[in-house]
Amino acid sequence: MRKLKIIDINNYDYTLIDEDGNIFTMNIGFLGLESNPTVDDYIYIPENILNEVNFFSFGVINDSNVKDKDLIKIVSKNKQYYLQRYYG
């Protein structure tokens, strides 16, 4: 997984930067969360997802057989959690 910092959010467009300064814009929707990730939070994303152009939807894990390639990790100031890819 690649560690990316959220540097801007415009509706569903998340602008992310990696540790090498590469910038990515991903269209992401989050389902079933109390609050969505915010600027300065971190998202760990598998390379296979990062290289796709798509509208992505992630939410709480509801499948015990979910594969690592379909998981992302969110790290905020107070907590960290994993989300499952629903579609996209």
Side-chain angles (χ1 to χ4, degrees):
M1 286 192 181
R2 188 178 305 185
K3 179 181 179 181
L4 302 158
K5 182 177 183 177
I6 300 171
I7 58 173
D8 187 48
I9 302 170
N10 183 7
N11 293 319
Y12 293 101
D13 291 329
Y14 283 73
T15 304
L16 313 166
I17 189 167
D18 69 10
E19 295 171 328
D20 296 327
N22 299 309
I23 296 177
F24 303 87
T25 300
M26 297 183 70
N27 195 276
I28 307 172
F30 294 96
L31 304 172
L33 304 181
E34 291 180 19
S35 61
N36 289 343
T38 61
V39 171
D40 292 331
D41 287 351
Y42 290 90
I43 301 179
Y44 291 76
I45 299 177
E47 291 291 330
N48 66 299
I49 293 175
L50 189 59
N51 294 323
E52 291 182 36
V53 176
N54 215 332
F55 174 78
F56 297 96
S57 179
F58 295 95
V60 295
I61 297 173
N62 62 12
D63 182 356
S64 61
N65 295 319
V66 66
K67 296 177 176 34
D68 287 347
K69 68 181 181 92
D70 292 327
L71 291 175
I72 64 170
K73 179 180 176 181
I74 307 293
V75 178
S76 66
K77 295 173 188 80
N78 301 324
K79 62 183 175 178
Q80 60 182 349
Y81 50 94
Y82 287 88
L83 299 174
Q84 150 182 359
R85 182 178 185 176
Y86 286 169
Y87 55 86

